[in-house]
Every structure is written in structure tokens, then in C-alpha cells.
Amino acid sequence: MSKAGPNWGFPKTKVLRPKTKVMIELRNISKRFGAVLANDQINIKVETGTIHAIVGENGAGKSTAMRIAYGFYTPDSGEILIDGQVHQIRTPHDAIALGIGMVHQHFMLVDTMSVAENIVLGAEPGSALALDLATASSQIRKLSEEFKLSVDPGALIESLSVGQQQRVELLKALYRKAQLLILDEPTAVLTPQEVEEFFAILRSMREQGKTIVIITHKLSEVLAISDDVTVMRDGKVVGRVKTKETNAAELARLMVGREVLLRVEKTDAKPGVPRLEVVDLSVNVKGSTPRVDKVSFKVRAGEIVGIAGVEGNGQTELIEALAGLVESSQLSGSINFEGRDITRQSARARREQGIAHIPEDRHRRGLLLEFSLAENSILGVHYRPPVTAYAGNVFLDNAAIQQRANEIIQGFDVRPANAALPARALSGGNQQKLIIGREFKVDPRLLLVSQPTRGVDIGAIEFIHRKLVALRDGGCAILLVSAELEEVTSLSDRLLIIHKGRIVGEVDPKVTTVEEIGLLMTRGH
Amino acid sequence: MKLLRELVFPLLAVLAAFVVGGILILLIGDNPIQAYKLLIGSALSWPDGIGYTLFYATPLIFTGLAVLVAFRCGLLNIGAEGQLYVAAFATAWVGITLAQRSAWILIPLCFLAAVLAGGVWGAIPGILKARFGSHEVINTIMLNFIGIALVSYFTQYHYKVPGDPIMESSEIGQGAHIARLGHFIHGLPERIPLNLAFVLALICCVLVYLFLWRTKWGYELRATGASPTAAEYGGISIRKQIIIAMTISGSLAGMVGINEVLGYRHRYYDGFSDNYGFTGIAVALLGRNHPFGVVIAALLFGVLQRGGIYVDGFSEHVTKDIVQVLQGVIILFVAAEAFFRGQFGSFGLLKRSKV
Amino acid sequence: MKDLFTIALFWSTIRTATPLLLAAMGGLFSERSGVINIALEGMMLAGAFTAAAVTYAAGNPFAGLAAGMAAGLLIAAIHAVVSIRYRADQVVTGTAINILMFGMPAFLSGAFFLSSGSTPQIPREHLVPWLPIVIAFGLVPTIWYVLYKTPFGLRLRSVGENPEAADAAGVPVARMRYAGVLLSGVLAGLGGAYLSIGQSSLFTRNMTSGRGFIALAALIFGKWRPVQTMLACLLFGFTEAVSYQMQGVFKFSGEDIPVQFIQMVPYVLTIIVLAGFIGHSRPPRALGMPYQKER
């Protein structure tokens, strides 16, 4: 079952392969998932001993391409060359044998096992009859020293911080003697200081002859760490440049395919009375630091308050807490809506008072994928008139549901315009328009909106932005969370910055530069 | 077109199961064509064949519906067996204790006993799941054994006719008997135990259909099954839905007691169920988790039950156990739908969401 | 009460615990690899019938034991292919196998032995009353070692906890799960064989009478760990032995306790443990989830 462990040690004197040699090349790779062409005839070439960044917006196909290189997905067509040789990479096992290691965005670790067990898994030292964890641990310690990745081999994964878990992932790849390391959004979970340390580690790996591919959408990081950049957009490779010969503006233009990112046209807000008042709200998790930590703010009628922050800093939990989707035992502090304390109220009770919610994850929260558009169009209001009728409103009124669905489909340009289709059959943008239409339909007094344009095509983005502004002008209070800095700054009237669950500042997006906001987002001060 | 697609896979599964069964019959040296002819021919003869086929189908409609309601909420109720035992005993208990009352009082009370007892026995795993997150599959299995042991205890120690070697209760009051269909249908002899419970089963199908697809409650239950997280977002309490679904499921399974006790034996008979609860899983799956599909599937299984007895008597080697074999193989094929599809991906009916 | 705990009861407990232990150890392999195995009952029935039939026909109990294990393996192979290859719901597949195996031995014995569901008596000298007991209890430390001290065990546990991580580490997820399920078939088959040619001397219809499910309960009660599972099997075996010994009514402090209540003990305990009242029993994280790489 098991092979003998890896031949130990990385000879430091080992030849640094000439920089011109190509470590990995993807040739004409295509991959389709259902209706989506995730990779369209892409070509990527990574030179040995370099740090190569692959950049693009969410959904551009970066992760798919690299998961193909790692054998997680099988390409529909195209070929992969390692060191100039064509190789079939059917499984991660094949990739590992070819010296490829990958650190996934969501760590691939078994939480209930130790660091050492995770690192050796699949490449165990010792014989098939005896797992030699002692040797493994000493090897891991040696590696840790060599690459400055300190971690206790005996610790359980679930007891480690995310930063430490990432080190385990790196060690896992190094332990398998990976020559090529693919890192998928490695900095998303790190604090700025950790990012600095992390980049130092990457540079030292490059010194030792490793080749590194880093997938990211953060341009500052691309410029700081990489040697070369491949830019992807809509499943295609749209450019390849040397980092030294480019700048953020050029990369941004390649990434989004437009000269200037959209600037939403809107008049100044005319805020009215406060609708939502949050006082010292915390979302506590057993055995961990609070996800949201004593947050206080107000949202008034007729304004859009944005929340900017690096993803995973408590935005998700904050919005879910406001929407009533967090167990009230986990909450402390208070949420007041139009003067009423709603902290302990159910999601339904909040909806009844006019709180609507466009969730960040439309597949998990926003839609019943197997249900028809008509059935989806009533989620949240399904139990009351006008969509119910007869016998004390027990029965669903199909005619009314149909009408409601059609109004949403027409008003928000959902295509195909067929209410009988299952939601699964729609593209991401059309699914999002359906959700937005549904939530707008209740004439909300407060709208909680999270990542409204994630994975949505450009035409739909502008449409959604216009609708949000129009809703604001109609007097609705809107709380907006978005990972796209451009989006929050251009839509918001006031901007709160969240960092590690805390609101660390409020800025006027009209007069504050993106750099200043970025600094707050990453440093917290 | 859609209907056709819904029908193709169940039909293929049944066909494949018959092929596998045929091979087995060949292997033991009998003629499969002969055996199947006997099986189906005897089950569809009038009046005995059809009468008994419908009688055997009755409990399966109830348990099929029970499994289906839970399934639509993303739960697998393999506890229908225990639920129907507990309910049947409760029905008999009411029928015995209030034996002197008139039918007008007794029958509704017996119905209520069946529905309540089954509902309670179904609600327990629902509550355990909603409250503690413990898996309904394990708990329903455990409750099967507990329920069966419990009613066996009551039968043995408290409700048996003294001296009777058979583990059965004393008889229920005359007023609790419900009419056999032979009473209403010309040409159907009254000795055939097919009774009004069959009509009740059909009514339940329509009610379950209306409940699931035409009421707001059904919407909430199905939404929970389709995506608990999205249901929660839509203001639906998942915990409540789990308990409701399991209670309804148990109640439906419990109605088997009406057929068995009020319509057939007029007493509680220990070990009466011929795996009705487990076969209900097969019925629901084969019926593609739709009430009308359940009726068709239950009828098919009724045919097998009835025909099996004939095969047993009139063929050389084949016993009625071929029926269990066929049922098992049918579920395997239905479950492995992808086997026929030749590709992966499902229509979502067999996908159970994690709650 | 005084003469309850006798040597006879001790041995009786060991004997009743043995089939549970074998099946539970089988279940451990399957469930630790992430595949729910409620088909233990069916696998035991397959083993019990085949062992009795082969022992009777060949006059050799070792051939019978081997055949019983092979029958369990075959049934496990069906479970494995349908739930791993075709990603069917594992509980549904298990139920199907149980129904199938409820009928199959009776169907075959009807054909081969012209009986209604049982095999002919096997002469006493062809029974193996001790060997399976030795194997069962000897297996516990072995399985503990395999699970925690070998690469195979590490990989098996990893695919049950987080198959995606295991896959990313180069562990062939499907292959490990096949191994887990097939091993469960072999062991449950052996447990069944012990029932028919160890404890008893013939196969009778539905002779497992729920032992596969008690084994499953013991596995949960033992928190999916070998030693604790063994202790659970002994406890459940003890309740069964007591109910035999009492032949009906069990006197406890002068009160009658009907046998049915003793039979319920394993099931009630399992529900309590699962609800977290006595130490929480946490299943392998990926238990019951088919692994699908490409979405």
C-alpha cells in the first residue's frame, strides 16, 4: 500500500536550473463545467526558478487551470508539459510524482489528525507495516528550519491558526520534494505582517531553485512578489507580461478589459432617520476569538453604508447576524431596527418588518437550485398573502406566484424568461438578478446586501448598481458588503472599514483614496 | 417528455431486476419465463389475484408515503417499521379497551391512535436530530428495535389471551371493524381482506400531494429538503421542519395499523409486518418520491407479494423469497441510477442535503 | 441476583459478543473510510448461510468459514460498487442489501435443500465453536495497530475524515474506500459464519435477527474506535446472554424485568450516546458522503 518515504534532504548545492528552462507549460487547455467554459484554449508557460503570478477576477478561470495542472480536474482538451515532456496528469498522485505541489485556497488538511500525519499522508516513511512518525517528525523539523516554517509536528491541525495551517500545507508540498509549488490565493487568510513573512519564505524558496505559481487577484502583491504575470479573463489568457515592465494600471486594464472601472452615477445621499442601529454587537464562537467584535454603527434611510475589508474579517458573520441567521446564543450587544430591539428575533420576524437580504453565497443561501424560478420568487414571503390564499391562507396561490415571478423576471431582465425552469439552469448573473428582484419586490426598508455582483457579467453589474442606487433614492437604508474595493467605494455614501471583526474606521469614499482604505483594511489602523 | 424521463429509470430498474432474478431462477434449474408468468398471472386474476394484490399494496402505499415525506425534507426514515408496529398496537389497544363503544366513536379513536402513536414514534428521532443533531438513520434503526420489543412486551404480558400459544392480543370490539371492499364491490368476495384502508391510502396520496405542492407548509418542508441553508435564509425554521416531517412520516407509517388491525386481523398480531417499513423505502425510490409514483410502485410490489405465494406453491424450486430478492435488486438499481445514465449527476431526488 | 454472575454467564457473554465484535470491526473499516454500512446485517446473513451450506456440502468447516467470508466479500462488493462507483445513497444501498439478503438465503435453501429457509443440520464434529472467538478478540489489537500505526490506517482514516484532502495528498480515495467496505464484508461474513457453524449447527431463516444492527450500535457506542467498540460489544453481548439465561423474566431486587427490556438496552444506550448525553460520539466527518471530485 505504501511506498517507502521520500529520499531525504534537499541538496542545497543542487543545480539551479537555468532560468530560461520551462518548468511547466499548459498548452491549449480547455475545460467546461456544464454551461460554463471555465478554461478556453489557455496557454500558460512558467519558467524554472521563477515566481509566476496568475491574476484575474473571480471566476476568470485561474483556479481551474491550476487544479488541472495538479490533476484535480481532467482537461477536456489540451496538454501539459513538465520540463518539456508531455505528461498525463490524471490525479494529484501523478502531479506529486512529477514534483508538483499545490496549496489550495481552502486548506486540504485533515483537522482531526496531527501535523506530522497530515504531512506524510500519501507519502509515508517507514514500511507498509509500520508508520514511522518519529522519523517523519524529525524530517519535518529539519524542513521547518530550512525554510523558516516553524510548526509543531505533534500538534493537531484543528488547534492551529490559519497561518500555521498554511505552513503545514507548504511543508506538505516540500516534504514531497515539490519543485513546482502552486499557491491558490495564499494571502487571503493572512494578516499584512504574515503576508510579509510569507513573501520572504517564497523568495527563499526561489533562491533554492523552486518554481512558484501564485494565483491572486491582488495587484499590489503581484507587483511585490512575482517575476512574470499571466492575466486571465473570462476563461481566457489575455496577456503575459514581465512584472518589471508593467504596472498596476496595465494589469487592471487587462484583468477587467476596460479602461476605467465603473464609477456609479449617483447624486448625493439625502439621509433620513436612522433605520438600523447596531450597538456593541459581537458574534462569539466557542473556543475562538469573536468573529464580530463589539461593532457599533448606524444606517439611515436613503443612504448606502459600505463595509470594506479583506475577506474573512467578519463581514459574513455580521450580515448573517443582522439577517437573523446566527443563533442568538452566539450574539451579544444589540441590534435595533426602527427603534425596536430585534437582536433575539427570528429571520422571519425581521423580514416581516421590511428587512431584505441579498446573500453573498447565492447557491448556499439565496436559491433553492432544484426549485423553479416561480417557487424561488416567493422564498421568504411564501407563507403570506398575496402568494397564499384559501382556507386561512394555507394554500399557495399559483396564479399569484406566477404573476410575481413574471414581474421579477421582466423587471430585472432575468433570462431565459421562463418561470418554470429550475434555478440551476440559469447563469450566475441571472440567478443574482432573480434574487435581487425578489428582495426588491418586498419594498424593503433596510437592505442587507453582500457581494451583489460576484461572478456576474459586466452588463449585469451596471444594471445591479443602478438598481441599488435607485432603491436608495427611494428611501431605503442599504448596508453593502463587497470584497471589490472599487464597488464599495463607488456605491457607498459612507464607508466603514472592518478588520478582524472590528470596525476600525469610517471614511468618506468621495475624498479618500483607495490606498488609504487599503491600508486600513490590511493593518487595522 | 418530463414524465417520460421520470418513468424511464424506474422501468429500467424493474426490468433489470427481473433479468437478474431470471438468471437466478435459471441457475437453480427452473424456467424463469414460467415462474414470471405464474407470478404476474396469478396476481392479476379476478377477483382473488387483484383483490389480494391491492390488499398487499395498501401498507406499502402508507410506508412509501411515509418515506417520501421524510425524504422531501432531506431525511431518511428507515424507522417506518417500528412506527407501524407501535401504531398497530396502539390501534388494537384502543379497540380492546373501548370495545363496547359504538363504531362512531371507536373507529375515529382507533384512527387517531394509529396516527398519534406512529407520529410520536416518528417525532422522537426528529426531535433528537433537531435538538442534538444526532443522525436520524441510526436513531430510527434503534427505535425500530425498541418499538418492536416494547409492543411485544405489552402483548406478551398484558394483552394476550391466556393460554393462547400465538403472540397476539385479544380481539378488538366489533365496532372497530372497518368494512372490506367486497362489501361494496360486486364480484369481490368478502373473504378477501382488501378493506377501506386501501381507499384511505389513496386519499392519503392525494392529501400528501396537496400538502407538499399546494400548501405553504409543504413548500417549507420541501425547501428544507432542497437546501436547509436557503430555507433558513427564507425565514424557515429547519428544526421545526425536521420534527414536522418526521411526525407526518411516522403518522403515515402508523396508518398501516388501520389496515392490519381494523381491516384485517381485528387484533394485534406480533410480527405481522412483512418488512413493510423497509419495502417502503423501495416504494418511495421507485416511485421517484412522488405520491402518484408511490401508488404505482406499491401496486407493483403488491403484485410481487401476491404472485410470490403462487410461485411458491406451483413451481419446483422457486420459493416466495424470490420476491425479497427482486425487491432488493430493484432498490439497488434505482439507487444506482447513474448506472443506467452512464454518467454522473442526478436530478437531485436522491441527493440528501446535510442538515 | 447472586447467581447471575457465573462462569457460565461469562462464557455465554463471550459467545454472544463474538459475532457482534466481528461485524462491528468490519463496520469500523467501512465507516472509518467514510462509507456508512447498515448492510452489516445482510453481510452476516450471507456469511451465515454460505458457511452452513458449504460446511454441510464439503464436510469441512474451514471451507465453510472461507466461503462465509467470501460471501460477505461478494455482498460488500455490491455495496462498494453501488455506493462508491455509482455514488448511490449509502443508507439506501445498505437497506437494499438487507432486503436482498433477507430473501436470498431462503431462496437458495429452498432450491438446494428443499427447505423453507434453513440448511440441514451439520454434524457436531464439523462445527468450529472456538476459532472465530479467538480470531475476533485477536483482531482487536491488530485492527488498532493497523488503524493507528500503519500507512494503510492513516490513509483509511484520512479518506473518512476529509477525502478531498486525502486526494490532494495523492491518496486514491476510491481505492481506500473499496478496501474498507470489502474488509467489512469479510469480517461480517465471518461473524455470520460463526452464528451458523460455531454457535449453532445450521442456518435458519433470519438467524442474525438484528445482530448486524447491534454491531452498528456498538460501533457508534464505541465511538468508532476498536477497543471501545470491543467493550461495547461485550456489554451488548452481556445483555443478550442475560436475556438467554433468564429465559423470560429477570428478577432484579424482587421486581420482574421482562426480557424485552433487557433486549432494548443496546439500542437505548446508542440513542443516548448519539445525543451526546454520555460523552459525544462524533462520526468520521465524511461519513455517508460520496466523494465527487469534479463539480
Side-chain angles (χ1 to χ4, degrees), chain B residues 265-326:
Chain B
R265 271 191 247 253
H266 302 142
R267 60 174 84 228
Y268 175 78
Y269 183 88
D270 201 43
F272 72 88
S273 166
D274 190 7
N275 275 337
Y276 297 142
F278 298 109
T279 313
I281 299 171
V283 170
L285 287 180
L286 190 62
R288 294 197 70 82
N289 285 304
H290 194 285
F292 303 133
V294 160
V295 175
I296 299 171
L299 289 177
L300 172 79
F301 282 20
V303 165
L304 293 182
Q305 297 277 345
R306 170 61 184 169
I309 293 167
Y310 258 72
V311 173
D312 209 282
F314 293 99
S315 69
E316 206 172 335
H317 299 300
V318 185
T319 62
K320 66 174 169 22
D321 304 294
I322 184 73
V323 171
Q324 299 274 348
V325 174
L326 286 175

Side-chain angles (χ1 to χ4, degrees), chain A residues 273-276 299-303 337-338 340 350-356 439-440 442-448 471-472 474-479:
Chain A
V273 292
R275 285 260 168 88
L276 176 72
V299 185
R300 293 169 295 180
E303 71 171 348
F337 178 66
E338 298 189 322
R340 292 178 297 273
R350 296 184 200 203
R351 282 181 169 275
E352 279 172 354
Q353 295 168 53
I355 300 180
E439 298 304 304
F440 275 41
V442 298
D443 293 326
R445 303 179 64 74
L446 168 67
L447 178 69
L448 307 168
L471 188 71
R472 178 203 74 167
C476 181
I478 299 179
L479 183 65

Side-chain angles (χ1 to χ4, degrees), chain B residues 3-76:
Chain B
L3 186 71
L4 192 74
R5 204 175 52 192
E6 291 289 316
L7 283 174
V8 161
F9 293 109
L11 278 177
L12 275 176
V14 172
L15 218 65
F18 270 82
V19 170
V20 171
I23 294 170
L24 281 170
I25 295 171
L26 264 182
L27 285 177
I28 63 169
D30 246 327
N31 182 345
I33 308 279
Q34 202 75 41
Y36 286 149
K37 228 191 224 163
L38 208 57
L39 193 141
I40 292 166
S42 70
L44 297 181
S45 68
W46 177 258
D48 279 57
I50 290 180
Y52 273 99
T53 294
L54 297 183
F55 171 66
Y56 289 129
T58 309
L60 300 182
I61 297 178
F62 286 127
T63 54
L65 289 176
V67 173
L68 138 83
V69 169
F71 218 122
R72 285 285 175 183
C73 190
L75 303 162
L76 195 46

Side-chain angles (χ1 to χ4, degrees), chain A residues 1-2 31 33 67 70-74 90 92-93 96 108-113 117 120-122 124 127-131 158 176, chain C residues 145 148-159 161-162 164-172 175-176 282 285 291 293-295:
Chain A
M1 213 58 218
S2 95
K31 176 74 185 172
F33 292 112
R67 285 182 151 229
Y70 191 61
F72 245 129
Y73 298 151
T74 325
R90 287 192 192 85
H93 189 84
I96 292 165
M108 298 285 184
L109 297 169
V110 184
D111 286 354
T112 48
M113 292 186 182
E117 284 180 318
V120 302
L121 177 63
E124 298 85 355
S127 71
L129 289 181
L131 180 64
E158 55 193 2
R176 281 143 221 264
Chain C
Y145 182 84
Y148 296 107
K149 300 290 167 195
T150 67
F152 174 80
L154 181 69
R155 293 172 180 203
L156 191 85
R157 285 185 288 132
S158 74
V159 300
E161 288 288 332
N162 187 344
E164 213 182 3
D167 190 3
V171 174
R175 214 184 299 167
M176 293 311 299
R282 197 189 61 75
R285 218 161 272 181
Y291 179 59
K293 195 154 64 172
E294 292 194 14
R295 271 152 296 147

Side-chain angles (χ1 to χ4, degrees), chain A residues 147-163:
Chain A
F147 291 95
K148 301 191 178 59
L149 294 163
S150 74
V151 63
D152 170 17
L156 278 185
I157 296 295
E158 55 193 2
S159 71
L160 301 182
S161 71
V162 264

